[in-house]
Amino acid sequence: MSEAAIRFEKVSKSFGSRTILKELSFEIGKGDSVAILGRSGTGKSVTLKLMIGLLEPDAGDVFVLDRNVADLDASGLSELRREMGFLFQSAALFDSISVGENIAFPMRRQSKVDESEIRDRVEELLRQVKLDGEYDKMPADLSGGMKKRAALARSLALRPSVLLVDEPSAGLDPITSEEIDELLISIGEEDETTIVIVTHNIPSARRICDEMILLDGGLIRARGDLAALEASDDEVVKKFLSSQSGG
Ligand SMILES: Nc1ncnc2c1ncn2[C@@H]1O[C@H](COP(=O)(O)OP(=O)(O)OP(=O)(O)O)[C@@H](O)[C@H]1O
Ligand SMILES: [Mg+2]
């Protein structure tokens, strides 16, 4: 078993009187690709936000790349985030700057990076997400799938060792969604990046990830590859899988 890139130890999180996570514990090994599944509102996005310190646990600890996220000061946290890529559910690009500048943004925030190096890296990323030659386009002039790909390129700009992706295929047609999947697969293979994907799309989860975690009621209901989940006798797992294949 590989060393853990991410470790949750009895993590609890509530909002007001609503408990979302209940002493949730799990590990994701370095270089592994794991999908987090679950019904809407089960805390999938909250789980990702805990990983990058956008939210803090009420109790328990979140370790990422051997650091306890809650123990980090502002500079420690930004140092950790430099090693992480995060693609939000909404895939928001900055509307007032070009696609190329959006992708360059994380690099420009680092000091000591020269202009030609940034330009080369952005061109490389644009090729990688099949947006060659679109440097100067404005986000408003892109389709939904192109925006998603541009946002993915931005999250890859600093070559993250941990990549968190929230619903990469939401709102995309099946072909575009498969293209995003292919990209994530190649990133996982090439760079030994640890990838955590939140998705409602089981075929996509199966293509990209070695393993799936099904969240339910603030806890892990099942974990394993698709075959293991399909072999489960658990009513909740069965119901989840049948609802997915049905619609
Ligand atoms: N910052 C917040 N303040 C208050 N409540 C929140 C906050 N973030 C999340 N929640 C609540 O926590 C619950 C879990 O939210 P989360 O976004 O993690 O769901 P999800 O599993 O990602 O769902 P979906 O599949 O619809 O994206 C929801 O009830 C949500 O309203
Ligand atoms: Mg979500």
Side-chain angles (χ1 to χ4, degrees):
M1 172 118 175
S2 54
E3 212 181 320
I6 294 162
R7 191 163 85 243
F8 274 48
E9 280 181 7
K10 295 194 170 180
V11 172
S12 296
K13 184 71 190 169
S14 299
F15 295 106
S17 60
R18 282 204 61 190
T19 301
I20 308 301
L21 304 179
K22 296 177 189 163
E23 301 197 343
L24 176 66
S25 297
F26 65 89
E27 279 190 13
I28 296 174
K30 285 192 176 144
D32 290 356
S33 301
V34 173
I36 299 180
L37 311 172
R39 294 170 54 180
S40 192
T42 45
K44 302 181 300 298
S45 297
V46 164
T47 302
L48 290 193
K49 285 173 187 167
L50 286 162
M51 292 176 191
I52 47 164
L54 279 179
L55 289 173
E56 274 187 30
D58 300 330
D61 294 299
V62 175
F63 295 89
V64 177
L65 301 171
D66 304 316
R67 277 157 277 183
N68 188 330
V69 179
D71 286 349
L72 299 172
D73 59 11
S75 77
L77 192 57
S78 66
E79 205 172 292
L80 176 65
R81 285 183 185 158
R82 219 169 294 151
E83 298 174 58
M84 304 177 79
F86 191 82
L87 183 60
F88 284 92
Q89 201 162 352
S90 50
L93 295 170
F94 305 115
D95 288 330
S96 59
I97 55 177
S98 71
V99 169
E101 283 308 305
N102 262 280
I103 298 170
F105 188 81
M107 288 180 263
R108 292 200 194 287
R109 292 208 318 185
Q110 308 284 304
S111 48
K112 301 175 279 188
V113 193
D114 72 80
E115 197 48 41
S116 69
E117 215 174 292
I118 291 179
R119 190 79 199 192
D120 288 350
R121 176 74 178 136
V122 173
E123 297 291 353
E124 181 190 354
L125 286 159
L126 285 169
R127 274 196 301 279
Q128 206 179 348
V129 299
K130 302 204 174 69
L131 289 173
D132 320 45
E134 308 285 16
Y135 196 108
D136 294 318
K137 271 239 172 88
M138 295 305 283
D141 299 328
L142 299 184
S143 71
M146 290 164 91
K147 277 185 195 153
K148 217 14 114 79
R149 299 208 299 273
L152 184 60
R154 187 177 58 190
S155 71
L156 294 171
L158 299 178
R159 304 180 196 280
S161 46
V162 174
L163 179 64
L164 311 178
V165 186
D166 204 345
E167 307 216 5
S169 49
L172 302 181
D173 67 82
I175 294 170
T176 309
S177 153
E178 270 184 43
E179 283 171 6
I180 302 261
D181 288 357
E182 292 302 327
L183 243 154
L184 290 168
I185 292 167
S186 69
I187 291 157
E189 283 170 355
E190 278 172 34
D191 299 324
E192 298 193 334
T193 312
T194 304
I195 303 181
V196 185
I197 296 171
V198 166
T199 183
H200 287 280
N201 184 333
I202 291 180
S204 154
R206 189 176 56 86
R207 277 196 297 273
I208 304 165
C209 300
D210 320 308
E211 255 197 314
M212 307 183 194
I213 289 175
L214 176 63
L215 277 187
D216 182 71
L219 288 167
I220 293 179
R221 192 77 195 196
R223 178 170 184 169
D225 60 13
L226 183 61
L229 262 58
E230 280 174 343
S232 170
D233 286 331
D234 187 297
E235 284 308 319
V236 172
V237 178
K238 283 179 157 170
K239 197 166 167 210
F240 180 80
L241 290 176
S242 66
S243 70
Q244 294 293 311
S245 57

